[in-house]
């Protein structure tokens, strides 16, 4: 092995740390899949809540895996906390946009002003929220294209959420007819079209 300060690191410790990291991450993935396929469908939780829980389980598992791997190597976590605090200041200044988007993503998951499955309107366009990740949110438009919106934009800017309270929405479809058309006949034809497409 070799020494880093007062700590001796060997090949066995490195393999042990990697093994611990992989095992905890595998257990986390298993818990996520089990919850998504077996537990969540039995509950009455909204699909947005289910996605938030799944994402948070992944974050918690990743943090536990990294800290456990470092502990196996023999590093003192209290000393690492001081180093991480100093580095976070530099990272905060150098990667402000990424940190801002990450924190905004956490706010979206906890506060849930926007959930997976919601129909929202932002400055970039409108569509259905498909995925909320660490840095950005994916919105699928009516023509099946995807808009990748930074999370900070969803927190700092105005967002219209058509399905925030419930799943029922109103869709306005403009219909053009001749000025000479009989209004009653137009209403009757439109009613037949709506009835036939229920």
């Amino acid at each position: 092995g070799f020494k880093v300060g007062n700590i001796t690191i060997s090949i066995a410790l490195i393999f042990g740390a990697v093994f611990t990291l992989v095992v905890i991450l595998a257990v986390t993935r298993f818990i996520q899949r089990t919850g998504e396929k077996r537990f969540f469908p039995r509950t009455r939780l909204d699909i947005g809540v289910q996605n938030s829980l799944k994402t948070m389980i992944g974050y918690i598992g990743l943090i536990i895996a990294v800290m456990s791997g470092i502990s196996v190597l023999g590093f003192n976590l209290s000393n690492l906390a001081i180093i991480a605090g100093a580095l976070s200041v530099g990272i905060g200044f150098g990667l402000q946009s990424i940190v801002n988007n990450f924190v905004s993503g956490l706010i979206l998951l906890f506060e849930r002003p926007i959930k997976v499955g919601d129909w929202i309107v932002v400055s970039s366009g409108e569509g259905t929220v498909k995925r909320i990740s660490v840095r950005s949110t994916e919105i699928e438009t009516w023509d099946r294209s995807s808009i990748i919106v930074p999370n900070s934009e969803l927190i700092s800017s105005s967002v219209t959420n058509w399905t925030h309270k419930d799943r029922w929405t109103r869709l306005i479809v403009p219909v053009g007819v001749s000025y000479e058309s009989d209004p009653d006949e137009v209403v009757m034809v439109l009613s037949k079209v709506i009835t036939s497409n229920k």
Side-chain angles (χ1 to χ4, degrees), residues 85-97:
L87 288 175
S88 63
V89 176
I91 292 173
F93 283 109
L95 304 173
Q96 285 185 358
S97 177

Side-chain angles (χ1 to χ4, degrees), residues 46-185:
D46 182 82
I47 186 171
V49 179
Q50 297 179 19
N51 181 74
S52 297
L53 289 174
K54 178 185 173 184
T55 306
M56 283 188 287
I57 290 171
Y59 288 160
I60 293 170
L62 178 61
I63 292 171
I64 293 174
V66 171
M67 293 181 69
S68 299
I70 293 173
S71 296
V72 170
L73 285 176
F75 286 99
N76 190 343
L77 294 178
S78 60
N79 293 336
L80 288 177
I82 298 173
I83 297 173
L87 288 175
S88 63
V89 176
I91 292 173
F93 283 109
L95 304 173
Q96 285 185 358
S97 177
I98 295 175
V99 173
N100 188 16
N101 287 322
F102 175 74
V103 174
S104 298
L106 294 179
I107 293 173
L108 290 176
L109 289 174
F110 282 100
E111 190 177 321
R112 298 180 57 247
I114 296 168
K115 307 177 293 297
V116 172
D118 281 354
W119 174 22
I120 66 173
V121 181
V122 295
S123 58
S124 307
E126 66 177 289
T128 305
V129 177
K130 287 297 179 182
R131 187 168 61 93
I132 300 175
S133 60
V134 174
R135 191 194 66 83
S136 61
T137 296
E138 179 184 347
I139 302 172
E140 185 177 86
T141 62
W142 297 113
D143 57 1
R144 310 293 290 180
S145 62
S146 294
I147 303 175
I148 310 301
V149 182
N151 290 330
S152 58
E153 181 179 331
L154 298 175
I155 293 296
S156 60
S157 303
S158 177
V159 178
T160 302
N161 190 339
W162 286 91
T163 53
H164 182 61
K165 296 292 185 181
D166 55 59
R167 311 309 297 177
W168 292 96
T169 59
R170 175 182 293 177
L171 183 63
I172 299 174
V173 180
V175 178
V177 296
S178 172
Y179 287 109
E180 300 175 356
S181 302
D182 182 11
D184 294 330
E185 187 177 352

